[in-house]
Each structure stands twice: as C-alpha cells, then as structure tokens.
Amino acid sequence: MASGSFDFAPLLRPGLPPPAAKWTGFAKYNFTGGHNDADIVPVDRLVAAATAVLAREGRTLATYGLNSGPLGYRPLREFLAAKLKRHADISCTADEILLTSGSLQALDLVNGVLLARGDTVLIEQDSYQGSLNRLIRLGVNMVGIPLDKEGMRIDAVAAALDDLKRRGIQAKYIYTIPTVQNPTGTIMGEQRRLELLRLSQQHGVPIFEDECYSDLIWDGRRPPALYAMSKHGGVIHIGSFSKSVAPALRVGYIVAGWDILSRMLAIKTDAGSGALEQMVLAEFCAPHFEEHVPKLKRGLREKLETLMEALAEQFGTAAEFDDPKGGIFLWVKLPDAVDTQKLAQAALASGIAINPGPEWSTDKAHGTSRLRLCFAYPSKETIREGVAALAEVCRREFGVPSRIANVEQRARAG
Ligand SMILES: Cc1ncc(COP(=O)(O)O)c(C=O)c1O
C-alpha cells in the first residue's frame, strides 16, 4: 500500500534540495548525460567474466566486503594500481585505493572530509555540473578559474590564491579535471601541471584531481597525473570505470595517502560498494581492458566527427567549438543572442535534450550562449537528425543560424 495520504512534508528536515523529477524516459535526441555507446559495451565478455568469477569466488559474497576488506575487491584495486602506473605514472599500492560507488561517491567523500559551509575552493570556470551542484549544496564559495586551450589558467590560479591570502582566506582545494576537461575537452600540459603543483605547495592548498575521461584520449598521449608529479603529496586523485567500460556499473575510485584515505573510509558508511560489479570488472579488465578501450575510442571519435560535421552543416559559423582531445562531449559557443537555458527548454519540447552552459559554469553570463553536447549515446543518424532539429528550434527561437547563412554556407561548401 503506497497510496495513503500521510503527509511527510512537515517532517522533512530543513535545507533539502527540491524533489527529484520522475523519470519519463530519454528524449528522442539525447545529447545529455555521461552515457556510453551501447553498441560497444563488451556484453559477451562481461557475461563470461561474471560467470567465471562467480563460479570461482561466489561464496565470498557471504561476507561484507568479500575477503578484501573495506577498501573494495582487492584484484580490482591491484588492476588499478598497475593501470595507473602504466597510463598516468602513478605509483601507488592497492592499499592506497578506495573503490567507490561511481566517482560521484568519491566526490562526496573528498568533500565530506574537507568542506564545511562557507569554505572556499578554486575550480575551473566551466566544470562538471555534478561537482558544481555539490559545492552549491554544501554552501561552499567557488572561485571560478578561466580556461584556455590547455585548461585552467595558471596566472588566474596565482591571482586567485594571492587574493584569498590577502583576505585571510585559506582555500580548501583546487579542483581540476586536467586530462580531458569536462566540458571543454582540453588537456593540461606537463609544464602547467608543474606550475599548478608549485602554487599548491606554496599556498598549502591541495589539488583535487578528477580523471574521469583520461582513458578516452584519441591519440592516447597524456602527461603524468598531477598525483604522480606531486612531490609534496598534496593531491587526491579520483577516477571511474563509467566512461571506459559502463556507467551503470557504478564503480569509481579514490587514490590518496592513507592519512587522508582513512578519514574518507571512516565516513563511507555503506558497508562497501556493490561487490558483484567490482568482481566482474576485475575479471574483465585484467585480460581485456587494453584491447577494449581503443575500440571504444574509435567508435567515439567517429561519432564526434559526425557531430562536428552536422554542426558545421546546420549552424555554419554560428557554432564555434574546438576539436576536443578525447571524451564524450563537445562544448559549443553559439552567438551571444542565444540563451541556451531557453534553448534547452524549447528543444526539450521538440524531443532534443542538451546541457545549457550556465549549468556547467561558475559564471552564468559566460555560460549563457554555450552548451554541452554529449555524443557517445546517440547513433550517428540520431546525431545528424538531432542537430538538424536543434538548428530548427534555435532558428525559430533566436533567429540563428539564419536560413540565408545556412544556404550560403551550403553553396560555399558545394
Ligand atoms: C568530471 C566528472 N567527474 C565525476 C563524474 C561521475 O561519474 P561516475 O560517478 O559515473 O564515475 C563525472 C560523470 O560524468 C564527470 O564528468
């Protein structure tokens, strides 16, 4: 019986966020969310991995934490320690890795041990909505750092830290997505990483490094992680299997020294993240990860090219963007006259879901004419149709791209 009339409203604790909306299915043209490409999920191998690991170790499900303790399934942590060394030059042991329920839980745990209402953090001006929303909800002051083609601008970080110092404010961390930034798709170069680490050490402000997309770099070339380059140890690193294997598995991780990791573990009160997905991932990843990821990247790159072509065709010069170095999204600038929050509403009414820029930026004015388009989930055909439909809505609501410009663009191209 769930239909009674009991009123919970007067009992709710103060300060709750507004209620969640009921899910009504995906929009026909879904350019939002960090979803993956359904056709490249390695289903057969996951089935085989699940069967093998359950047959061999299924009895350990009888205990909380399997036989691996509260940090999570040990073979997966061992896989990660080796992978992080290979890819990001991080030297850590399995005991410096905490497996979490997605890297969203990692964000919560890091925030949970470091942040109190009224605290201040530095964060890339355009950043992951999930991180921005958490900070807003926690009542934390965000100092937005402008980005250029190499990510967070160091002169702006230095100026912000100096300014805070003058005002007697000790920032709690510098949050960065240095390797395929969300939403701009940039990669911070090695020199800039060194400078950021120097500032971090000089001001005693740790770096919170979120590497959700670093497996998805087209040419695979990347600088070492900030965690690997740090000599002072003031870096917390988080990552995820959501983008490299599948987001619904909900497996992420934190890499940190035991002094701070143990504090996070103490507030991780869920008695362990889902064991089955950790077991299946470990069984799958050890033999297949390195072969799976290039296949995934090829598919994603093709979809990105489809998206960029469709935008050029439908929006002409009205849509400006840089070709991202990897990832699953494109950050697009439309003419100043376009308010992407209004565009998102109108588009949704036509079955097109987009992320409006202000929700991905600390500076709402900067975000107003920008939007994020995720390309991993829709098929190439859906991408083409969806961009054409979006251009129609944008033209109707804001007069851009103008039909004339579009025709001219086609004539020039032809
Ligand atoms: C930068 C960044 N961090 C963290 C997450 C959370 O991902 P998950 O909880 O699926 O690991 C995302 C998801 O899109 C992201 O873009």
Side-chain angles (χ1 to χ4, degrees), residues 33-35 100-107 127-131 134 175-177 180-183 210-213 238-243 246-253 328-329 360 372:
H35 310 295
T100 53
S101 304
S103 51
L104 282 172
Q105 188 183 38
L107 282 167
S127 186
Y128 172 46
Q129 186 192 27
S131 302
R134 277 170 167 68
Y175 173 77
T176 176
I177 311 167
V180 186
Q181 206 266 345
N182 187 357
D210 185 348
E211 275 221 338
C212 208
Y213 300 95
I238 68 169
S240 176
F241 286 95
S242 288
K243 316 302 166 178
L249 292 172
R250 309 305 305 127
V251 181
Y253 53 89
I328 56 170
F329 41 75
W360 295 74
R372 193 186 80 136

Side-chain angles (χ1 to χ4, degrees), residues 212-293:
C212 208
Y213 300 95
S214 56
D215 293 313
L216 304 182
I217 300 171
W218 312 133
D219 66 8
R221 294 214 323 262
R222 55 153 303 167
L226 287 156
Y227 190 91
M229 294 172 70
S230 169
K231 298 218 181 350
H232 67 300
V235 182
I236 296 170
H237 178 99
I238 68 169
S240 176
F241 286 95
S242 288
K243 316 302 166 178
S244 55
V245 183
L249 292 172
R250 309 305 305 127
V251 181
Y253 53 89
I254 304 174
V255 187
W258 179 246
D259 52 344
I260 189 73
L261 198 64
S262 57
R263 306 308 297 256
M264 295 186 224
L265 190 54
I267 61 163
K268 187 174 186 295
T269 52
D270 58 3
S273 297
L276 198 51
E277 39 276 59
Q278 295 178 23
M279 294 165 88
V280 173
L281 264 177
E283 196 77 9
F284 165 80
C285 286
H288 300 307
F289 187 85
E290 296 297 340
E291 158 196 347
H292 166 69
V293 167

